[in-house]
Amino acid sequence: MAAERYDAPKREKHWQAAWEERGIFRASEADTRPKYYVLEMFPYPSGRIHMGHVRNYTMGDVVARYMRAKGHNVLHPMGWDAFGLPAENAAIERGVHPAKWTYDNIAAMRGQLKSMGLSLDWTRELATCDLDYYHQQQRLFLDLLKAGLVDRKTRKVNWDPVDRTVLANEQVIDGRGWRSGALVEQREQPEWVFKITDYAEDLLQALERLERWPDKVRLMQANWIGRSEGLLVRFAVAGSAPDGHDIIEVFTTRPDTLFGASFVAISPDHPLAKTIAERSAEARSFIEECHHHGTSAAALETLEKKGLDTALRVRHPLIEGATLPVFIANFILMEYGTGAVFGCPAHDQRDLEFARAYGLPVIPVVLPPGEDAKTFTIGDAAYTGDGTMINSGFLDGLDVAAAKEAVADRLVKTKLKGKAAAARQVQYRLRDWGISRQRYWGCPIPMIHCPSCGIVPVPESDLPVKLPDDVSFDRPGNPLDHHPTWSRVTCPQCGGKATRETDTMDTFVDSSWYFARFCAPKSTEPTDIAATGYWLPVDQYIGGVEHAILHLLYARFFTRAMHKTGHALIDEPFRGLFTQGMVTHETYKDVHGKWLLPEEVRKEGGSAVHAKTGEPIVVGAIESMSKSKKNVVDPETIIAAYGADTARWFMLSDTPPERDIEWSAGGVEGAHRFLQRVWRLVHEVAAKTKAAAKPQGFGAEAEALRRAAHRSTAAVTAAIEKLRFNTAVAQIYELANALSLSLQSAGPHPSPDMAYALREAAELLARIASPMVPHLAEECWAALGHKTLLAEHPWPTPESALLLEETVTIAVQVNGKRRDELTIARDAAKEDIEAAALKLENVVRAVGGRKIKKIVVVPQRIVNVVA
RNA sequence: GCCCCAGUGGCGGAAUUGGUAGACGCGGCAGACUCAAAAUCUGUUGUCGGCAACGACGUGCUGGUUCGAGUCCGGCCUGGGGCACCA
């Protein structure tokens, strides 16, 4: 006889051991079933899993288990994004070696993930800090180098003074380091870059074909790449020009406004500006001043437009004899376009502010619709809309688009010092990916600096470049620079004394190809082409939106790079992407304004008090769980108390997976109660019925239960396919409710047809719930007398005859207002539906004897009587 | 400033994509069981009027298209996200 309650924490261990013993989650390429690769973004081994992990991995596991049951050969691996700063911080703060800290954390988190009952192939586990992994990554780096995809550039970099490292643009948020939160400084420094801009156009174009990606993510990436079409215009310097600067190139998206140009401005970092600074103290101090201001949004907001007249003049390309002054201006970025612009104050806000400050002409050249050319003037706001060209010579009368074309056509054909005066050009906002980090705990860049040969790659036979174990963290900066011997090597070309590159790679490189390594994690090559050819692309990738740009763009680039270097056969790594929402919780503060953990708070009626002192508590906003606000709940505690299935069920219930979910104690209780209820229901069915052959016929009640069970099966199937887990959960509730009602009305001794229907419904309940609550499902499956594992059973197919009702209920409206409803044969003819509807008492009353103008009949849906 | 998304009961949300708004869950209320509590079970629960049948109103606001609008179109309000001196 069954116990009163289901002891989930205990039984879950049993089922996990049973799955493990059968090795059913191990994936093999030698399989004839269609492949399916499910991947969740691998975790950083911080030491403990958090609720965000629980949500992410539960969703992935539902997909993995469902696809397996659907007859796919499923790859569902797990690994660790294990390089990165926190390990070094731990070393600094606690004196633990980063490797030990990391591997200890991995061990702890592996145990926690295992307690969730995830259907993972643990034989493929990898950590990016494994020597084998970063060895292969160094080989990839060298292959990318050979393919011309790696460059060394000295450029202005974002320097994080707290973490003492360079950051990629993507890692600077509001002028601050994404990890340290420190104000980022600008520095000129040589660094290694991946030439992601080579693929700017392709990365943009291919977004259109990523149909199973959220539109939001595709849009964010498109904006980040930031394509704009325009014209590269060459301005000739009038009179004598500084050496090599007789032409100033300017990129513009508004060549139509060229007749309204009143100045040219160059960036303080423009080569011409530097040349001028060599002879002008005034220019030197101005440039110096420009470098001083920060780049944060707030700093830019208040920054005045400032410039310095260089005394140089350039010839206007379209107006014979006209010249424009050349300024060095603080608002021109060297990083975008050519680092120089022409200013048309009437139609660009920045140019207008600048022109007003320096008394430059403001010439309107685009006339807004409805304005009179004689009276139209520009006030405080530049006009950026469409209109008719004026004051523009041969452009007059054209609209903006036509004028752009006309200017381009003419200048492309005009010769200027032997070359075309202009060229059509496309510019991108995207910059090359700087991967150099001045840190210890990362993949060493396999390069050597030789005083006589320059920079030479480490020969592949000398790989891996292994991180030294004996490092100290007692000084700020890069421990690799401080190591007494590590960086001293002989040059592989000349054999002379040389030094190693001490920069390590951005950890986003590590996560740009791990999905490929999972296909053959033990391969002696970076990737095994047979295995990646089989498994890739990832069919369903699941992770947080916070990676919508950084990680996902890098991985898309890197896959192209691997394709080019023969390490992959595809360009797009992730066919389907799903970005799940965050886990949130109420925040609590005590009377002293100190944050409190949820477990320190007790709810009493409508108010909250301190669990120990009874002092009142201020309940704050619902925010995403974070240690700093203490609104965190530890998954381990929940799993120990309620079992993994409760945590999983909660994560999937109620809230759509892409939205933020609010974790609450009440919600957990509710989830747990429901799982107990399912357990009781199934055990009651098992006790009251025996497995038997399908009866010849079914009574009305048994038939109704069967319909409910098969309908729920179909609905859950459709919901999981669309990753709408919350509606799948609701369907399972409905089936449980139907089963519960039938069980009661069937009494202690159900008739044979009802017994069959009850058992069938209980089995279907267990089967359709199994991807979400796999342990409980196994328990129920066993209770119903099965000796096999449900995890190895195929997904149920509902009987189609049970999905269609013979009669349907359709609403009847009069003049668009619902007045009654009508139950009629599913395939009833239109005329019959019409006739039946008109006989309804409520309809007759609502019509009130008026003349019927029209009757709209949508079979199986609605009737609308228009009177 | 530019681009995008979302507003539905007390709450999370559902609605076959133009066809009965509020499925399912949480919470509330009433009841059964119990000495009592917990657990469990049953009923009820958008608002207003009515004993009821029923009626009116109702998907942020506003106007429109349609036999019919939560869903489509225009304008506005609020909240959220992304980018941001990008030429």
Side-chain angles (χ1 to χ4, degrees):
Chain A
M1 194 57 210
E4 278 298 292
R5 282 177 75 84
Y6 171 49
D7 184 357
K10 187 176 150 206
R11 296 301 295 161
E12 287 182 352
K13 292 207 174 53
H14 171 261
W15 294 115
Q16 286 161 17
W19 296 326
E20 171 117 38
E21 193 189 321
R22 298 271 300 144
I24 47 184
F25 306 135
R26 231 171 276 158
S28 157
E29 293 78 48
D31 196 306
T32 54
R33 295 171 298 172
K35 72 96 184 178
Y36 197 88
Y37 187 175
V38 197
L39 185 67
E40 299 96 65
M41 291 178 185
F42 66 164
Y44 177 78
S46 58
R48 301 191 72 74
I49 63 168
H50 54 66
M51 284 299 178
H53 293 129
V54 173
R55 194 174 192 203
N56 193 182
Y57 300 137
T58 298
M59 289 179 192
D61 200 45
V62 172
V63 175
R65 286 178 180 269
Y66 169 76
M67 292 311 293
R68 213 176 272 120
K70 271 290 209 182
H72 289 77
N73 182 30
V74 171
L75 173 58
H76 187 211
M78 181 54 71
W80 310 95
D81 188 13
F83 272 138
L85 266 181
E88 285 186 62
N89 290 338
I92 293 162
E93 286 158 23
R94 274 171 276 167
V96 201
H97 193 279
K100 177 168 168 46
W101 184 83
T102 303
Y103 283 106
D104 284 354
N105 284 350
I106 287 174
M109 289 175 75
R110 186 192 298 119
Q112 292 186 313
L113 288 184
K114 286 196 171 179
S115 76
M116 282 182 64
L118 304 170
S119 65
L120 292 164
D121 181 353
W122 283 103
T123 66
R124 292 174 188 251
E125 182 184 357
L126 59 82
T128 56
C129 64
D130 292 341
L131 178 59
D132 173 59
Y133 188 86
Y134 73 76
H135 174 190
Q136 302 302 339
Q137 187 162 306
Q138 289 171 345
R139 293 178 65 187
L140 288 172
F141 178 92
L142 294 180
D143 284 349
L144 261 61
L145 183 73
K146 269 184 236 153
L149 291 170
V150 181
D151 211 351
R152 187 162 171 83
K153 280 187 186 168
T154 296
R155 53 178 201 185
K156 225 188 220 177
V157 294
N158 306 298
W159 177 257
D160 185 320
V162 169
D163 285 346
R164 300 185 62 99
T165 186
V166 167
L167 298 176
N169 261 11
E170 290 85 339
Q171 293 164 343
V172 179
I173 295 147
D174 289 336
R176 291 172 182 275
W178 70 300
R179 254 187 187 289
S180 70
L183 277 173
V184 167
E185 298 167 3
Q186 304 296 306
R187 275 197 181 184
E188 291 251 339
Q189 185 158 316
E191 59 168 353
W192 294 100
V193 301
F194 282 157
K195 289 163 76 177
I196 190 170
T197 54
D198 283 9
Y199 292 92
E201 188 62 33
D202 186 41
L203 287 167
L204 181 67
Q205 296 275 323
L207 286 172
E208 280 173 40
R209 298 190 293 274
L210 292 174
E211 284 158 20
R212 290 183 45 228
W213 278 45
D215 290 342
K216 184 180 154 185
V217 174
R218 293 196 281 177
L219 189 73
M220 280 165 72
Q221 291 215 350
N223 289 340
W224 187 264
I225 294 167
R227 182 185 201 272
S228 44
E229 283 179 18
L231 199 64
L232 187 77
V233 184
R234 300 171 72 230
F235 285 81
V237 175
S240 69
D243 287 348
H245 291 292
D246 54 338
I247 297 283
I248 296 175
E249 288 191 335
V250 157
F251 176 74
T252 178
T253 57
R254 293 297 303 273
D256 54 300
T257 63
L258 211 39
F259 280 95
S262 50
F263 65 95
V264 161
I266 63 171
S267 164
D269 301 310
H270 196 279
L272 174 57
K274 289 182 181 166
T275 306
I276 292 167
E278 281 165 21
R279 347 175 190 156
S280 156
E282 198 191 359
R284 262 200 304 283
S285 72
F286 179 74
I287 291 168
E288 177 65 16
E289 190 194 323
C290 290
H291 283 155
H292 253 79
H293 68 72
T295 51
S296 70
L300 293 172
E301 197 93 340
T302 55
L303 194 69
E304 259 179 75
K305 304 278 175 283
K306 279 190 180 168
L308 177 79
D309 192 337
T310 62
L312 288 177
R313 296 291 177 267
V314 290
R315 293 207 181 88
H316 194 289
L318 294 170
I319 306 171
E320 194 62 38
T323 62
L324 302 172
V326 178
F327 286 81
I328 300 172
N330 65 349
F331 62 95
I332 309 299
L333 304 172
M334 193 58 221
E335 294 79 32
Y336 187 78
T338 60
V341 303
F342 79 77
C344 175
H347 304 292
D348 182 285
Q349 192 59 36
R350 275 180 333 231
D351 296 347
L352 182 63
E353 286 169 31
F354 189 77
R356 288 276 142 84
Y358 291 89
L360 296 161
V362 178
I363 311 154
V365 289
V366 180
L367 185 69
E371 289 281 351
D372 184 340
K374 290 192 186 75
T375 56
F376 178 64
T377 50
I378 298 290
D380 290 338
Y383 177 70
T384 55
D386 199 359
T388 310
M389 302 309 298
I390 51 170
N391 305 325
S392 294
F394 71 99
L395 300 177
D396 282 353
L398 298 177
D399 63 17
V400 165
K404 281 182 184 175
E405 284 307 307
V407 169
D409 283 345
R410 176 157 307 189
L411 288 180
V412 162
K413 286 177 201 141
T414 309
K415 289 286 178 217
L416 184 69
K417 304 208 170 169
K419 282 167 78 179
R424 286 188 172 86
Q425 214 187 43
V426 174
Q427 280 287 332
Y428 302 91
R429 212 190 66 101
L430 184 71
R431 293 175 62 193
D432 277 332
W433 174 16
I435 60 153
S436 282
R437 296 292 179 274
Q438 291 70 43
R439 306 300 319 182
Y440 164 73
W441 196 232
C443 173
I445 296 174
M447 301 298 285
I448 287 168
H449 300 262
C450 171
S452 38
C453 309
I455 302 176
V456 291
V458 175
E460 195 156 319
S461 56
D462 288 356
L463 293 182
V465 176
K466 193 171 172 290
L467 284 170
D469 289 329
D470 52 335
V471 280
S472 65
F473 295 90
D474 48 6
R475 281 186 282 171
N478 185 352
L480 291 177
D481 279 334
H482 309 148
H483 194 278
T485 54
W486 185 76
S487 66
R488 289 189 210 155
V489 285
T490 53
C491 171
Q493 268 178 32
C494 68
K497 280 189 181 172
T499 54
R500 272 194 199 293
E501 172 64 65
T502 56
D503 284 354
T504 52
M505 291 185 213
D506 181 2
T507 56
F508 278 104
V509 180
D510 312 346
S511 54
S512 289
W513 69 287
Y514 76 108
F515 45 87
R517 187 69 186 164
F518 273 141
C519 299
K522 312 264 181 340
S523 174
T524 52
E525 297 294 314
T527 66
D528 176 321
I529 279 295
T532 52
Y534 176 76
W535 288 115
L536 292 180
V538 173
D539 294 278
Q540 185 63 60
Y541 195 35
I542 307 178
V545 233
E546 65 272 22
H547 293 112
I549 298 172
L550 296 176
H551 162 58
L552 290 167
L553 191 62
Y554 292 150
R556 294 181 63 219
F557 156 72
F558 208 82
T559 304
R560 284 163 169 76
M562 286 197 293
H563 190 178
K564 189 178 181 186
T565 52
H567 295 290
L569 300 170
I570 51 155
D571 284 337
E572 286 296 342
F574 313 121
R575 179 171 291 157
L577 172 71
F578 189 84
T579 52
Q580 101 268 7
M582 293 184 296
V583 183
T584 64
H585 198 286
E586 276 183 336
T587 48
Y588 307 106
K589 269 185 185 176
D590 67 11
V591 285
H592 316 291
K594 242 182 68 189
W595 297 106
L596 291 172
L597 290 164
E599 67 213 44
E600 297 175 294
V601 176
R602 189 159 37 99
K603 290 281 182 74
E604 275 181 359
S607 60
V609 295
H610 197 291
K612 287 206 185 98
T613 64
E615 283 178 344
I617 296 282
V618 182
V619 178
I622 296 160
E623 297 190 57
S624 70
M625 286 189 177
S626 78
K627 278 182 191 158
S628 61
K629 289 181 180 157
K630 286 202 168 182
N631 60 338
V632 288
V633 175
D634 184 7
E636 198 171 282
T637 314
I638 298 296
I639 292 171
Y642 299 96
D645 284 341
T646 293
R648 294 171 62 120
W649 188 252
F650 179 98
M651 283 302 185
L652 299 166
S653 302
D654 296 342
T655 303
E658 69 278 7
R659 287 200 216 165
D660 290 352
I661 189 170
E662 190 195 344
W663 184 274
S664 70
V668 179
E669 288 290 345
H672 190 244
R673 265 203 306 275
F674 176 70
L675 299 186
Q676 289 290 351
R677 181 164 167 242
V678 169
W679 184 88
R680 274 198 313 274
L681 279 173
V682 173
H683 278 77
E684 208 180 319
V685 170
K688 282 188 186 174
T689 68
K690 282 202 183 82
K694 189 173 175 180
Q696 289 298 309
F698 290 92
E701 277 191 56
E703 178 80 4
L705 176 59
R706 295 198 70 215
R707 284 185 185 281
H710 286 256
R711 239 191 348 255
S712 289
T713 302
V716 168
T717 306
I720 294 178
E721 292 273 358
K722 284 186 260 176
L723 307 181
R724 316 230 336 202
F725 306 120
N726 57 320
T727 56
V729 163
Q731 283 300 325
I732 289 170
Y733 270 104
E734 291 205 35
L735 177 53
N737 290 344
L739 177 59
S740 175
L741 286 176
S742 296
L743 196 53
Q744 272 179 37
S745 65
H749 304 290
S751 58
D753 65 324
M754 188 42 124
Y756 180 89
L758 287 169
R759 197 160 260 272
E760 183 188 33
E763 287 199 355
L764 284 173
L765 179 61
R767 293 171 75 184
I768 61 180
S770 68
M772 306 173 212
V773 284
H775 311 88
L776 175 67
E778 293 286 3
E779 193 75 19
C780 292
W781 189 244
L784 290 164
H786 296 278
K787 303 293 179 214
T788 52
L789 287 173
L790 185 49
E792 291 184 279
H793 261 261
W795 191 251
T797 309
E799 287 178 25
S800 51
L802 291 170
L803 297 180
L804 288 178
E805 297 288 349
E806 280 150 20
T807 60
V808 288
T809 302
I810 59 182
V812 182
Q813 300 179 332
V814 176
N815 291 333
K817 284 195 180 209
R818 184 184 166 282
R819 293 297 173 183
D820 210 333
E821 59 184 32
L822 182 64
T823 301
I824 199 162
R826 165 175 203 87
D827 51 2
K830 270 195 177 190
E831 304 78 65
D832 298 337
I833 298 173
E834 211 174 289
L838 289 174
K839 274 187 215 138
L840 292 168
E841 201 182 311
N842 287 338
V843 173
V844 172
R845 179 152 21 103
V847 171
R850 277 171 297 177
K851 186 172 185 290
I852 291 168
K853 293 181 191 137
K854 183 174 167 186
I855 303 179
V856 181
V857 180
V858 183
Q860 296 166 47
R861 287 267 176 280
I862 206 161
V863 177
N864 190 8
V865 179
V866 187

